[in-house]
């Protein structure tokens, strides 16, 4: 089991470790304690579906449909630009908007809709899960399922650790200024990723 499971776990974990739009979203809601179980499940299950598709050979579709990649890239960039602008606006508004004790949490449907958009409109997630993990899994003939299980397990471990571990940083974010810095950092991350997507 370790011959394919552990490499799958290690590669899957390393691919999602970098801070991106999805991770920043999970971190922010983890700090606020809003809809954590649902958010972590959506992120991890989405990864599981994409990883399974990649290992099953779905990566071949992107090679046969070259127009799909730029379409996903520009759609994702547009979405991230809008989301980044919202983060900058929230940072500029300051204490009233970012103090969790004084703000009304968004509804579950709206939160999960945004979570799904950040996940499925991000072209990088397809490159990482479908194409990269799918292609690497071919190095383990007969054990692709174990490789996929390792990568899927890494996704569940990461998102639940990030979401529920964020509470350890709540004392820091009791200060409204810390929320402003977090929102500004999220905006920078979103726009940086969007710029990277546009420039290819």
């Amino acid at each position: 089991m370790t011959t394919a499971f552990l490499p799958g776990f290690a590669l899957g974990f390393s691919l999602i470790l970098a801070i991106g739009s999805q991770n920043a979203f999970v971190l922010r809601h983890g700090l606020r304690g809003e809809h954590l179980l649902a958010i972590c499940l959506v992120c991890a299950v989405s990864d599981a579906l994409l990883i399974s598709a990649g290992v099953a050979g779905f990566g071949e579709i992107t090679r046969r449909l070259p127009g799909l990649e730029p379409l996903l890239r520009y759609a994702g960039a547009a979405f991230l630009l809008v989301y980044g602008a919202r983060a900058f606006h929230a940072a500029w508004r300051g204490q009233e908007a970012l103090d969790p004790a004084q703000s009304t949490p968004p509804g579950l449907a709206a939160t999960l809709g945004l979570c799904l958009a950040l996940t499925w409109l991000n072209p990088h997630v397809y490159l990482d899960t479908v194409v990269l993990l799918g292609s690497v899994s071919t190095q383990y003939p007969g054990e692709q399922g174990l490789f996929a299980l390792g990568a899927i397990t890494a996704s569940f471990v990461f998102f639940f650790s990030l979401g529920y571990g964020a509470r350890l940083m709540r004392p820091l974010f009791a200060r409204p200024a810390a929320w402003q810095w977090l929102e500004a950092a999220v905006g920078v991350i979103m726009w940086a990723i969007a710029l990277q997507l546009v420039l290819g």
Side-chain angles (χ1 to χ4, degrees):
M1 178 176 177
T2 57
T3 56
F5 180 87
L6 290 182
F9 184 94
L11 181 58
F13 198 88
S14 64
L15 289 174
I16 60 176
L17 188 59
I19 290 296
S21 55
Q22 187 186 48
N23 297 352
F25 180 82
V26 174
L27 174 62
R28 185 178 187 277
H29 283 271
L31 289 168
R32 288 180 177 270
E34 297 171 354
H35 311 301
L36 270 183
L37 177 61
I39 289 172
C40 293
L41 275 176
V42 164
C43 291
V45 170
S46 294
D47 269 11
L49 293 173
L50 290 165
I51 291 167
S52 298
V55 172
F58 189 69
E60 185 66 24
I61 293 179
T62 59
R63 290 190 290 271
R64 294 186 179 184
L65 298 174
L68 184 62
E69 191 274 333
L71 177 64
L72 290 173
R73 193 153 45 90
Y74 289 117
F79 177 81
L80 291 174
L81 284 173
V82 173
Y83 189 81
R86 289 180 57 188
F88 282 125
H89 179 67
W92 177 73
R93 286 178 63 188
Q95 179 175 353
E96 184 178 352
L98 297 173
D99 185 350
Q102 297 180 4
S103 61
T104 302
L108 178 62
T111 299
L112 293 186
L114 183 54
C115 183
L116 286 168
L118 285 170
T119 300
W120 292 89
L121 291 179
N122 179 8
H124 287 297
V125 75
Y126 297 96
L127 295 175
D128 289 346
T129 57
V130 177
V131 178
L132 182 57
L133 285 172
S135 62
V136 173
S137 70
T138 61
Q139 299 179 16
Y140 302 92
E143 295 187 332
Q144 289 97 329
L146 285 176
F147 181 88
L149 180 61
I152 290 170
T153 301
S155 182
F156 274 85
V157 169
F158 176 82
F159 284 117
F160 278 89
S161 298
L162 179 63
Y164 285 93
R167 68 181 64 186
L168 300 175
M169 293 184 286
R170 281 180 184 168
L172 171 65
F173 285 90
R175 297 178 298 169
W179 282 99
Q180 288 180 275
W181 280 107
L182 176 64
E183 292 286 8
V186 169
V188 170
I189 291 169
M190 303 301 172
W191 281 13
I193 296 173
L195 179 62
Q196 183 182 15
L197 291 176
V198 171
L199 296 178

